[in-house]
Amino acid sequence: MKLILIILLFPFFIFGQKNGSASLAEYMQAQVEINNFSGTVLVTKEGKVLLKKAYGLADYEWNIKNTIDTKFQLASVTKQFTATAILLLIEKKKLSLDDKLSKFLPDYPKADSVTIHMLLSHTSGLAMGFKEIALSSMNKDSAYAEIKKMPYEFSPGTKSGYSNIGYYLLARIIEKVSGEKYAVFLKKNIFDKAGMNNTGVSNNESIVEKKAKAYYHTENGLVHNPYINWEINVGHDGVYSTVEDLALWDKALYGTGILSAQMKKLMFTPYGDENWGYGFIINPFYNHGHQLIAHDGGFFGTMTSFNRFTDDKIFVTVLSNNESFSYIISYGLSAIALGKEVELPYKHHRIEINTSLYDQYVGTYDTITILKTDGKLYFNSTEMELIPESKTKFFRADNNDRTIEFIPDSKGLYNSVILTKGGIKEVIKRSK
């Protein structure tokens, strides 16, 4: 209770370099107490476990706790396995990156303009889409017919745009080229080879032992996830796994037992204007040269994060079944593992302040814009309200693990802000 009380009263910092495991555990305990985290977490460095722990409940009705071997839906973390399957087929000379979509799905609109590479790298122009179809009870053929009606977001190959549809089509291509069901191909060629015995592809019939139920937030609190049609919600989603199995997958990606060095180079190269590799995003961490190969996932109650710091040999994965912000949590855990200063989560309380102060804060700071509308302050758009907890510090309405604090200079002008995300602070200045 002492720790909780301190957190409630004011934020404080932990330092990863003091004791990595203790700091990670302290951070996660705060996430549980303050933000009601439910799920499992694994952090390793050079193969050594720094934190491996389960929190919260796998089943709220029966009060069944999550355990380390609890299985969670991975949402879009699935995409890396779809990409791996495509690369395996390329290595077997059964298709190529330059093959057109029309070779496999000739009835798809603009199929002559889309390549396998574009589908893998999110440069196809295909829509993000899928939520309504995934929640429907339609069969595979009907779903495909509906997906074909979705317009392209941009001309194929001209820029980047994240697309679930692209990875759904890749799953169909895997089945057509291999002659096997998507789930069967992944099991034989990826999961079994990596020793991932607790990993598979969901369907609506099979009983999966130790699989967590998922719950999402509404105005009335947590509720059951809706029906999801796993017959068609595949390729971009569908795989379930455990944190330990994902650590086995991380280990496999350092070797060549599944993917050759040539295929991994293709997978881990950033393409387009958003740094998408094949099934991963490739970018530096905190702008300090820590190479990160990662992907997050989220669909209703499922929130997941998979992070490989390949220069530092650090692996961080967070799986949640109650819509906890796994990507924010993994951001904080990663910083601690890298020895950086991190603020613990704390309880935010709204206060009433003179909104005329907001006029001093509005403007553009680096890549963010602060707006004032109808006496309220907003972050980047009028959809993201900033809630005051002091005269100068605000938390985001959607996520109180993200705050912004306006900093006065010697003249009392607000020309810089401190952005905090998952406990990591960054100072950015007002644009000239």
Side-chain angles (χ1 to χ4, degrees), residues 43-249:
V43 182
T44 67
K45 185 172 184 178
E46 296 180 344
K48 179 183 177 182
V49 174
L50 300 181
L51 177 67
K52 181 169 66 172
K53 194 167 181 179
Y55 307 87
L57 300 176
D59 188 314
Y60 280 65
E61 287 88 349
W62 287 91
N63 198 38
I64 297 170
K65 292 182 178 180
N66 282 315
T67 58
I68 286 300
D69 57 351
T70 298
K71 303 177 180 74
F72 295 83
Q73 287 297 146
L74 297 186
S76 286
V77 172
T78 294
K79 289 182 172 71
Q80 59 198 263
F81 299 111
T82 302
T84 298
I86 289 290
L87 290 171
L88 288 172
L89 291 169
I90 289 172
E91 199 152 35
K92 293 176 181 178
K93 310 296 184 187
K94 292 191 174 183
L95 51 76
S96 79
L97 289 171
D98 295 326
D99 280 346
K100 301 290 178 62
L101 178 59
S102 56
K103 181 176 179 179
F104 312 101
L105 300 171
D107 60 335
Y108 202 89
K110 298 185 182 180
D112 281 331
S113 301
V114 177
T115 65
I116 295 294
H117 164 76
M118 292 177 192
L119 295 173
L120 287 167
S121 61
H122 296 290
T123 55
S124 67
L126 288 162
M128 164 76 169
F130 228 93
K131 181 178 177 181
E132 291 76 14
I133 290 175
L135 300 182
S136 75
S137 59
M138 65 180 69
N139 62 33
K140 291 175 70 173
D141 290 340
S142 297
Y144 180 61
E146 289 301 310
I147 288 167
K148 286 195 297 182
K149 297 176 184 177
M150 294 184 183
Y152 282 73
E153 301 287 340
F154 53 84
S155 296
T158 59
K159 58 182 180 179
S160 298
Y162 190 77
S163 173
N164 285 325
I165 300 300
Y167 272 76
Y168 160 80
L169 294 177
L170 286 170
R172 290 183 67 98
I173 291 169
I174 290 165
E175 293 191 337
K176 189 160 190 176
V177 172
S178 70
E180 296 178 319
K181 292 287 187 181
Y182 174 81
V184 172
F185 187 88
L186 263 59
K187 184 178 189 304
K188 286 171 53 178
N189 295 280
I190 302 174
F191 304 149
D192 286 352
K193 288 185 177 180
M196 300 168 67
N197 299 322
N198 290 312
T199 302
V201 178
S202 289
N203 60 58
N204 292 105
E205 291 80 37
S206 298
I207 296 172
V208 180
E209 292 184 357
K210 295 187 177 182
K211 187 178 179 185
K213 292 183 179 179
Y215 307 86
Y216 72 102
H217 291 278
T218 69
E219 292 180 355
N220 299 317
L222 283 175
V223 299
H224 276 290
N225 260 21
Y227 168 83
I228 296 173
N229 189 341
W230 295 115
E231 181 76 9
I232 54 179
N233 196 48
V234 67
H236 62 286
D237 193 350
V239 172
Y240 62 82
S241 191
T242 67
V243 291
E244 291 181 320
D245 268 16
L246 291 178
L248 291 174
W249 174 235

Side-chain angles (χ1 to χ4, degrees), residues 40-43 243 246-247 305-307 315-319 330 333:
T40 53
V41 175
L42 178 60
V43 182
V243 291
L246 291 178
S305 188
F306 179 95
N307 306 272
F315 173 65
V316 178
T317 188
V318 180
L319 308 179
S330 67
L333 292 172

Side-chain angles (χ1 to χ4, degrees), residues 300-430:
F300 285 95
T302 294
M303 287 283 182
T304 60
S305 188
F306 179 95
N307 306 272
R308 310 178 66 234
F309 297 89
T310 51
D311 292 340
D312 303 273
K313 298 297 186 291
I314 290 173
F315 173 65
V316 178
T317 188
V318 180
L319 308 179
S320 172
N321 64 320
N322 74 342
E323 220 167 35
S324 295
F325 290 108
S326 294
Y327 67 102
I328 296 289
I329 294 170
S330 67
Y331 193 69
L333 292 172
S334 298
I336 295 169
L338 288 165
K340 299 185 181 298
E341 183 179 298
V342 178
E343 180 184 74
L344 286 177
Y346 64 96
K347 197 72 174 177
H348 300 261
H349 296 284
R350 181 176 196 147
I351 67 167
E352 297 299 323
I353 64 174
N354 185 346
T355 58
S356 65
L357 291 170
Y358 295 173
D359 295 330
Q360 304 175 67
Y361 305 152
V362 297
T364 301
Y365 302 78
D366 192 19
T367 58
I368 70 166
T369 301
I370 303 300
L371 309 166
K372 179 185 177 184
T373 303
D374 297 330
K376 295 181 179 181
L377 206 62
Y378 293 92
F379 184 93
N380 281 343
S381 76
T382 53
E383 294 181 358
M384 188 61 62
E385 186 180 356
L386 293 171
I387 311 297
E389 61 179 85
S390 77
K391 289 183 179 180
T392 57
K393 191 172 184 179
F394 299 75
F395 59 94
R396 281 177 35 163
D398 70 322
N399 182 351
N400 58 21
D401 262 358
R402 302 187 75 162
T403 63
I404 182 168
E405 185 173 4
F406 298 89
I407 308 301
D409 59 20
S410 58
K411 298 179 181 178
L413 301 175
Y414 293 90
N415 288 318
S416 62
V417 298
I418 299 174
L419 289 180
T420 305
K421 174 183 174 183
I424 301 96
K425 294 184 177 293
E426 178 186 7
V427 178
I428 63 173
K429 297 187 179 299
R430 189 187 290 271

